[in-house]
Amino acid sequence: MKTLNINGRNETVDVDDDAKLLWVLRDELGHTGTKFGCGMALCGACTVLLDGEPVRSCITPVSAANGRKITTIEGQEHDRVGRVVQDTWVAMGVAQCGYCQAGQINTAIALLKKSPKPSEQQVREAMSGNICRCGTYTRINAAIKQASATLAGGKA
Ligand code: FES
Ligand code: FES
């Protein structure tokens, strides 16, 4: 049995060490906000945070999450930055089909926590591994800037 800290709560699961975190989250524990895209660390749809760092849960063995804080999209509403980013995403109508957006949002939150006022280059670098088949990149970029301004207490 393993105990995982997910969104601030301990959850116990009986899986092998090399089971991938994505499937443990989705199939064993019901955190279905984390999506499967490519399964090869190429699209970013499965991005969750491990101690605040974005990771591709489709290739991350569950053993790597042992003793660390896992944050999925379901947990972001309990976080100040997470809430602001999600509210901004909704207000600006970023999503199209929505499939990639949990990964996009988690990556954006990690960026804004590390760099509250990211440069264009920092945004591009941080978000470059998150693919959107609907091409919402312009809105994602604008939403990150707006969320940054809201968090700083100003306007974009
Ligand atoms: S499903 Fe993990 S990166 Fe694509
Ligand atoms: S919103 Fe459809 S894949 Fe990104």
Side-chain angles (χ1 to χ4, degrees):
M1 290 297 249
K2 290 177 181 53
T3 301
L4 300 174
N5 186 290
I6 304 169
N7 302 325
R9 290 182 47 198
N10 285 338
E11 299 192 40
T12 304
V13 65
D14 187 11
V15 290
D16 292 339
D17 276 356
D18 60 357
K20 298 302 181 268
L21 182 57
L22 170 65
W23 300 114
V24 175
L25 289 169
R26 286 185 58 86
D27 290 354
E28 304 292 332
L29 299 171
H31 297 285
T32 53
T34 306
K35 302 301 185 202
F36 168 70
C38 64
M40 297 189 294
L42 296 172
C43 74
C46 66
T47 304
V48 299
L49 305 184
L50 271 192
D51 289 338
E53 288 293 327
V55 298
R56 305 294 188 241
S57 63
C58 68
I59 59 156
T60 302
V62 70
S63 57
N66 199 20
R68 302 173 73 186
K69 289 184 179 171
I70 304 163
T71 309
T72 70
I73 193 69
E74 290 92 345
Q76 293 295 7
E77 66 178 331
H78 305 298
D79 177 272
R80 176 174 172 262
V81 176
R83 221 173 20 247
V84 167
V85 170
Q86 289 189 100
D87 288 350
T88 307
W89 242 246
V90 172
M92 296 182 73
V94 172
Q96 190 163 315
C97 80
Y99 199 82
C100 72
Q101 297 293 334
Q104 305 279 5
I105 287 171
N106 278 331
T107 305
I109 290 167
L111 167 67
L112 288 170
K113 287 193 171 185
K114 202 176 283 180
S115 306
K117 290 188 178 179
S119 66
E120 202 60 50
Q121 173 82 4
Q122 285 173 312
V123 172
R124 209 173 311 124
E125 278 173 16
M127 303 304 297
S128 65
N130 286 79
I131 308 300
C132 175
R133 286 186 66 183
C134 301
T136 63
Y137 300 111
T138 307
R139 292 201 295 274
I140 288 170
N141 193 295
I144 290 172
K145 286 185 188 137
Q146 177 62 60
S148 167
T150 302
L151 287 161
K155 292 181 178 168

mmCIF file of all heavy atoms in Angstrom, residues 12 23-24 37 53 55 59 83-84 96 99 101 108 111-112 118 122 129 141 152:
data_model
loop_
_atom_site.group_PDB
_atom_site.id
_atom_site.type_symbol
_atom_site.label_atom_id
_atom_site.label_comp_id
_atom_site.label_asym_id
_atom_site.label_seq_id
_atom_site.Cartn_x
_atom_site.Cartn_y
_atom_site.Cartn_z
ATOM 1 N N THR A 12 -4.683 6.482 0.064
ATOM 2 C CA THR A 12 -3.958 5.209 0.060
ATOM 3 C C THR A 12 -4.367 4.386 -1.147
ATOM 4 O O THR A 12 -5.545 4.342 -1.519
ATOM 5 C CB THR A 12 -4.281 4.441 1.365
ATOM 6 O OG1 THR A 12 -3.949 5.290 2.457
ATOM 7 C CG2 THR A 12 -3.464 3.173 1.472
ATOM 8 N N TRP A 23 -2.307 7.119 -14.313
ATOM 9 C CA TRP A 23 -3.347 6.088 -14.213
ATOM 10 C C TRP A 23 -3.726 5.819 -12.762
ATOM 11 O O TRP A 23 -4.875 5.429 -12.471
ATOM 12 C CB TRP A 23 -2.890 4.818 -14.941
ATOM 13 C CG TRP A 23 -2.642 5.134 -16.390
ATOM 14 C CD1 TRP A 23 -1.453 5.104 -17.047
ATOM 15 C CD2 TRP A 23 -3.620 5.619 -17.336
ATOM 16 N NE1 TRP A 23 -1.616 5.529 -18.342
ATOM 17 C CE2 TRP A 23 -2.931 5.847 -18.552
ATOM 18 C CE3 TRP A 23 -4.986 5.879 -17.273
ATOM 19 C CZ2 TRP A 23 -3.581 6.323 -19.692
ATOM 20 C CZ3 TRP A 23 -5.629 6.351 -18.405
ATOM 21 C CH2 TRP A 23 -4.930 6.557 -19.594
ATOM 22 N N VAL A 24 -2.779 6.032 -11.856
ATOM 23 C CA VAL A 24 -3.124 5.904 -10.436
ATOM 24 C C VAL A 24 -4.129 7.002 -10.071
ATOM 25 O O VAL A 24 -5.144 6.741 -9.419
ATOM 26 C CB VAL A 24 -1.855 5.994 -9.558
ATOM 27 C CG1 VAL A 24 -2.223 5.988 -8.072
ATOM 28 C CG2 VAL A 24 -0.904 4.841 -9.882
ATOM 29 N N GLY A 37 -3.045 12.202 -23.089
ATOM 30 C CA GLY A 37 -2.954 12.626 -24.481
ATOM 31 C C GLY A 37 -2.096 11.667 -25.274
ATOM 32 O O GLY A 37 -2.589 10.824 -26.014
ATOM 33 N N GLU A 53 6.348 21.667 -8.983
ATOM 34 C CA GLU A 53 7.010 21.578 -10.300
ATOM 35 C C GLU A 53 6.134 20.783 -11.264
ATOM 36 O O GLU A 53 5.665 19.693 -10.912
ATOM 37 C CB GLU A 53 8.354 20.853 -10.173
ATOM 38 C CG GLU A 53 9.437 21.649 -9.471
ATOM 39 C CD GLU A 53 9.865 22.879 -10.279
ATOM 40 O OE1 GLU A 53 9.841 22.813 -11.524
ATOM 41 O OE2 GLU A 53 10.204 23.892 -9.647
ATOM 42 N N VAL A 55 5.123 18.145 -13.850
ATOM 43 C CA VAL A 55 5.673 16.875 -14.322
ATOM 44 C C VAL A 55 4.644 16.211 -15.236
ATOM 45 O O VAL A 55 3.448 16.467 -15.139
ATOM 46 C CB VAL A 55 6.022 15.885 -13.174
ATOM 47 C CG1 VAL A 55 7.088 16.455 -12.264
ATOM 48 C CG2 VAL A 55 4.784 15.478 -12.397
ATOM 49 N N ILE A 59 4.416 9.541 -17.615
ATOM 50 C CA ILE A 59 5.682 8.790 -17.587
ATOM 51 C C ILE A 59 6.292 8.757 -16.192
ATOM 52 O O ILE A 59 7.382 8.216 -16.001
ATOM 53 C CB ILE A 59 6.724 9.365 -18.576
ATOM 54 C CG1 ILE A 59 7.017 10.831 -18.251
ATOM 55 C CG2 ILE A 59 6.281 9.193 -20.014
ATOM 56 C CD1 ILE A 59 8.381 11.278 -18.761
ATOM 57 N N ARG A 83 -6.671 29.632 -7.972
ATOM 58 C CA ARG A 83 -8.030 30.168 -8.140
ATOM 59 C C ARG A 83 -8.046 31.321 -9.135
ATOM 60 O O ARG A 83 -8.902 31.404 -10.021
ATOM 61 C CB ARG A 83 -8.564 30.615 -6.777
ATOM 62 C CG ARG A 83 -10.003 30.252 -6.561
ATOM 63 C CD ARG A 83 -10.508 30.530 -5.173
ATOM 64 N NE ARG A 83 -9.742 31.474 -4.411
ATOM 65 C CZ ARG A 83 -9.038 31.170 -3.329
ATOM 66 N NH1 ARG A 83 -8.996 29.935 -2.912
ATOM 67 N NH2 ARG A 83 -8.379 32.097 -2.658
ATOM 68 N N VAL A 84 -7.088 32.232 -8.974
ATOM 69 C CA VAL A 84 -7.034 33.398 -9.873
ATOM 70 C C VAL A 84 -6.819 32.941 -11.318
ATOM 71 O O VAL A 84 -7.484 33.423 -12.240
ATOM 72 C CB VAL A 84 -5.923 34.380 -9.425
ATOM 73 C CG1 VAL A 84 -5.641 35.407 -10.517
ATOM 74 C CG2 VAL A 84 -6.329 35.070 -8.128
ATOM 75 N N GLN A 96 -11.197 25.771 -25.671
ATOM 76 C CA GLN A 96 -12.091 25.441 -26.782
ATOM 77 C C GLN A 96 -12.678 24.071 -26.445
ATOM 78 O O GLN A 96 -13.672 23.983 -25.747
ATOM 79 C CB GLN A 96 -11.368 25.470 -28.111
ATOM 80 C CG GLN A 96 -12.343 25.367 -29.279
ATOM 81 C CD GLN A 96 -11.745 25.790 -30.592
ATOM 82 O OE1 GLN A 96 -11.075 26.814 -30.672
ATOM 83 N NE2 GLN A 96 -11.991 24.995 -31.626
ATOM 84 N N TYR A 99 -9.623 19.878 -23.627
ATOM 85 C CA TYR A 99 -8.898 18.660 -23.255
ATOM 86 C C TYR A 99 -7.498 18.930 -22.710
ATOM 87 O O TYR A 99 -7.061 18.279 -21.765
ATOM 88 C CB TYR A 99 -8.799 17.713 -24.466
ATOM 89 C CG TYR A 99 -8.502 16.304 -24.057
ATOM 90 C CD1 TYR A 99 -9.522 15.462 -23.622
ATOM 91 C CD2 TYR A 99 -7.202 15.820 -24.048
ATOM 92 C CE1 TYR A 99 -9.257 14.173 -23.208
ATOM 93 C CE2 TYR A 99 -6.921 14.532 -23.637
ATOM 94 C CZ TYR A 99 -7.954 13.715 -23.219
ATOM 95 O OH TYR A 99 -7.681 12.440 -22.806
ATOM 96 N N GLN A 101 -6.495 21.680 -21.241
ATOM 97 C CA GLN A 101 -6.437 22.868 -20.388
ATOM 98 C C GLN A 101 -6.029 22.600 -18.937
ATOM 99 O O GLN A 101 -5.432 23.473 -18.299
ATOM 100 C CB GLN A 101 -7.773 23.627 -20.440
ATOM 101 C CG GLN A 101 -8.105 24.170 -21.839
ATOM 102 C CD GLN A 101 -7.165 25.275 -22.315
ATOM 103 O OE1 GLN A 101 -6.565 25.981 -21.502
ATOM 104 N NE2 GLN A 101 -7.035 25.429 -23.619
ATOM 105 N N ALA A 108 0.847 26.912 -16.089
ATOM 106 C CA ALA A 108 0.794 28.373 -15.909
ATOM 107 C C ALA A 108 0.880 28.746 -14.427
ATOM 108 O O ALA A 108 1.553 29.720 -14.056
ATOM 109 C CB ALA A 108 -0.499 28.923 -16.528
ATOM 110 N N LEU A 111 4.403 28.448 -13.268
ATOM 111 C CA LEU A 111 5.174 29.581 -13.790
ATOM 112 C C LEU A 111 4.936 30.834 -12.951
ATOM 113 O O LEU A 111 5.893 31.506 -12.538
ATOM 114 C CB LEU A 111 4.768 29.850 -15.249
ATOM 115 C CG LEU A 111 5.257 31.181 -15.842
ATOM 116 C CD1 LEU A 111 6.778 31.180 -15.981
ATOM 117 C CD2 LEU A 111 4.592 31.456 -17.187
ATOM 118 N N LEU A 112 3.667 31.149 -12.684
ATOM 119 C CA LEU A 112 3.353 32.395 -11.976
ATOM 120 C C LEU A 112 3.812 32.357 -10.517
ATOM 121 O O LEU A 112 4.068 33.402 -9.923
ATOM 122 C CB LEU A 112 1.844 32.680 -12.068
ATOM 123 C CG LEU A 112 1.387 33.126 -13.452
ATOM 124 C CD1 LEU A 112 -0.133 33.141 -13.540
ATOM 125 C CD2 LEU A 112 1.940 34.515 -13.786
ATOM 126 N N PRO A 118 6.079 37.168 -15.407
ATOM 127 C CA PRO A 118 6.934 36.503 -16.400
ATOM 128 C C PRO A 118 7.087 37.341 -17.666
ATOM 129 O O PRO A 118 6.142 38.006 -18.096
ATOM 130 C CB PRO A 118 6.196 35.197 -16.687
ATOM 131 C CG PRO A 118 4.771 35.491 -16.390
ATOM 132 C CD PRO A 118 4.773 36.481 -15.267
ATOM 133 N N GLN A 122 9.839 33.960 -20.910
ATOM 134 C CA GLN A 122 9.583 32.992 -19.837
ATOM 135 C C GLN A 122 8.262 32.259 -20.072
ATOM 136 O O GLN A 122 8.155 31.068 -19.827
ATOM 137 C CB GLN A 122 9.566 33.691 -18.479
ATOM 138 C CG GLN A 122 10.945 34.076 -17.979
ATOM 139 C CD GLN A 122 10.881 34.908 -16.711
ATOM 140 O OE1 GLN A 122 10.130 35.880 -16.613
ATOM 141 N NE2 GLN A 122 11.669 34.520 -15.721
ATOM 142 N N GLY A 129 5.944 23.096 -23.800
ATOM 143 C CA GLY A 129 5.694 21.663 -23.853
ATOM 144 C C GLY A 129 4.225 21.294 -23.766
ATOM 145 O O GLY A 129 3.882 20.110 -23.764
ATOM 146 N N ASN A 141 -1.767 32.815 -23.568
ATOM 147 C CA ASN A 141 -0.756 33.846 -23.325
ATOM 148 C C ASN A 141 -1.407 35.083 -22.676
ATOM 149 O O ASN A 141 -0.896 35.621 -21.677
ATOM 150 C CB ASN A 141 -0.109 34.208 -24.672
ATOM 151 C CG ASN A 141 1.138 35.012 -24.475
ATOM 152 O OD1 ASN A 141 1.065 36.120 -23.980
ATOM 153 N ND2 ASN A 141 2.282 34.473 -24.860
ATOM 154 N N ALA A 152 -1.025 40.716 -8.909
ATOM 155 C CA ALA A 152 -0.226 41.854 -8.456
ATOM 156 C C ALA A 152 -1.121 42.988 -7.966
ATOM 157 O O ALA A 152 -0.640 44.009 -7.500
ATOM 158 C CB ALA A 152 0.672 42.336 -9.579
#
